[in-house]
């Protein structure tokens, strides 16, 4: 800015709007929570800047000049625009949103979320569309450059600036078809190891935490097939005698939406008699989205879709 350029003071626009609306220095001062003396000084400054008296005495009242009358509506528009500019981004009406969000999640998490999020968008934010992507992108850079808006799942590879929120902690259970031999007697580590298993791994790995736990008992399981999809593994378990691992809510807790597809397939869920590490489901986003009102609604909708206790709509 050059030294000859005028300095724009937003406070003058707010004061001008108050003075022209109230047509009284005292009432304008009360409206802006300042003193009449300070408002009088501001009026004097406005008169110098605009080179017009603006308000002039008419008996006991003050009346606007023609220039002031011409400025009244324009000043009100400017003040409303300033108010919108400085309103926190979190204050949004979901019903007015028109936006597409991209979420990255494993197929099981995506399947568990999609129905609940679709219901919430229809009820509260019908202008929002959702795009789910498989776990194909490195989350940190993808969040940073905006290719994805939210990552949901087991968050274990984030950049330092990435914001992460824990959503729920689950345990792994064995899922088998009705009438499977494992349902006929109490499940033991030996009987679990003797069954054929389907493993889920995007990288084609045959082993996981269950193998470590079985190894502590000098047991090994046979992984008959490795699939990259949880849903495909559960479908196979529903049609054969392979055992599939499924995340479920802790004993006694409200069932997790992540077991809904296993239940829909008719799978029986069996407690595994081994200490397995819990599975933590979280969501991650870039900090530039933290205060965005639409993104805040999305994060809260994810919490509600996954039935995270103690959280409600923002």
């Amino acid at each position: 800015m050059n030294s000859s350029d005028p300095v724009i003071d937003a406070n003058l626009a707010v004061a001008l709007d108050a003075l022209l609306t109230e047509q009284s220095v005292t009432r304008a001062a009360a409206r802006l929570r300042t003193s009449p003396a300070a408002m009088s000084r501001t009026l004097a400054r406005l008169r110098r800047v605009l080179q017009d008296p603006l308000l002039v005495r008419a008996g006991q009242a003050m009346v606007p000049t023609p220039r002031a009358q011409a400025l009244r509506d324009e000043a009100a528009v400017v003040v409303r625009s300033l108010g919108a500019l400085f309103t926190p981004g979190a204050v949004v009406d979901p019903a007015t949103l028109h936006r597409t969000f991209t979420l990255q999640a494993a197929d099981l998490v995506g399947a568990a979320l999609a129905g609940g999020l679709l219901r919430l968008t229809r009820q509260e934010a019908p202008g929002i569309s959702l795009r789910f992507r498989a776990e194909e992108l490195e989350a940190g850079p993808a969040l940073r450059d905006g290719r994805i808006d939210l990552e949901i799942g087991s968050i274990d590879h984030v950049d330092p600036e990435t914001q992460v929120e824990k959503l729920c902690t689950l345990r792994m259970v064995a899922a088998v078809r009705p009438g499977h031999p494992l349902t006929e007697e109490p499940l033991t580590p030996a009987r679990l190891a003797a069954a054929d298993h389907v493993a889920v791994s995007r990288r084609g790995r045959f082993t996981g935490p269950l193998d470590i736990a079985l190894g502590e008992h000098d047991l090994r399981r046979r992984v008959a097939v490795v699939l990259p999809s949880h849903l495909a593994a559960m479908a196979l378990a529903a049609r054969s005698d392979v055992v599939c691992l499924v995340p479920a809510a802790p004993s006694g807790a409200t069932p997790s939406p992540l077991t809904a597809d296993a239940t829909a397939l008719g799978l029986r869920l069996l407690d595994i008699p081994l200490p397995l590490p819990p599975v933590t489901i979280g969501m991650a986003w870039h900090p530039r989205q933290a205060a965005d009102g639409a993104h805040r609604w999305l994060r809260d909708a994810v919490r509600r879709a996954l039935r995270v206790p103690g959280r409600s709509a923002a």
Side-chain angles (χ1 to χ4, degrees):
M1 180 180 292
N2 297 326
S3 58
S4 59
D5 291 339
V7 176
I8 299 174
D9 186 346
N11 290 322
L12 282 180
V14 175
L16 178 63
D17 176 57
L19 285 163
L20 298 185
T21 300
E22 302 293 342
Q23 296 185 22
S24 163
V25 170
T26 301
R27 290 196 299 270
R31 178 174 174 172
L32 299 185
R33 298 180 182 178
T34 187
S35 68
M39 185 56 68
S40 292
R41 291 193 294 270
T42 301
L43 176 58
R45 184 180 174 192
L46 284 166
R47 286 167 169 166
R48 291 194 301 271
V49 171
L50 297 174
Q51 299 181 8
D52 187 271
L54 298 176
L55 294 173
V56 296
R57 181 70 58 184
Q60 296 298 317
M62 299 189 77
V63 296
T65 65
R67 177 77 191 281
Q69 290 177 328
L71 289 174
R72 180 184 297 167
D73 290 343
E74 187 175 348
V77 170
V78 169
V79 171
R80 285 198 298 270
S81 298
L82 286 170
L85 178 64
F86 291 106
T87 296
V91 181
V92 298
D93 179 2
T96 66
L97 296 175
H98 292 275
R99 190 159 164 183
T100 296
F101 285 112
T102 300
L103 300 84
Q104 179 162 289
D107 64 331
L108 184 62
V109 177
L113 270 175
L117 288 180
L118 179 61
R119 173 178 55 82
L120 290 171
T121 55
R122 283 176 173 173
Q123 292 175 351
E124 302 174 14
I128 283 182
S129 298
L130 302 171
R131 177 194 296 120
F132 279 87
R133 298 189 65 156
E135 296 175 298
E136 57 191 2
L137 300 175
E138 188 177 349
L143 289 169
R144 188 185 311 120
D145 61 25
R147 283 176 291 165
I148 60 176
D149 296 292
L150 198 62
E151 183 189 16
I152 307 149
S154 180
I155 311 296
D156 57 2
H157 49 273
V158 297
D159 290 342
E161 76 271 17
T162 303
Q163 297 190 2
V164 179
E165 178 182 326
K166 174 183 170 183
L167 294 171
C168 57
T169 299
L170 306 173
R171 62 192 176 102
M172 299 305 292
V173 298
V176 297
R177 65 168 179 82
H180 190 285
L182 289 183
T183 65
E184 297 172 358
E185 298 177 20
L187 187 61
T188 64
R191 295 186 70 232
L192 181 62
D196 284 344
H197 290 250
V198 53
V200 178
S201 172
R202 290 183 295 114
R203 299 178 177 86
R205 295 173 179 168
F206 279 78
T207 60
L210 178 57
D211 300 280
I212 297 173
L214 288 170
E216 295 292 328
H217 294 262
D218 295 323
L219 296 170
R220 291 186 61 185
R221 65 171 177 161
R222 178 176 181 270
V223 175
V225 59
V226 178
L227 293 174
S229 160
H230 288 87
L231 296 178
M234 290 191 300
L236 179 61
R239 298 194 302 264
S240 69
D241 280 345
V242 297
V243 179
C244 174
L245 298 186
V246 175
S251 298
T254 302
S256 167
L258 271 72
T259 59
D261 288 288
T263 302
L265 287 167
L267 292 171
R268 292 279 305 277
L269 304 182
L270 308 176
D271 289 336
I272 296 174
L274 293 166
L276 296 179
V279 177
T280 298
I281 303 296
M283 60 180 170
W285 64 93
H286 194 271
R288 75 171 183 279
Q289 303 271 34
D292 177 66
H295 200 277
R296 286 172 62 91
W297 180 90
L298 173 67
R299 299 195 302 268
D300 187 74
V302 168
R303 297 182 192 108
R304 288 184 284 157
L306 288 179
R307 304 174 194 162
V308 178
R311 306 305 289 263
S312 59

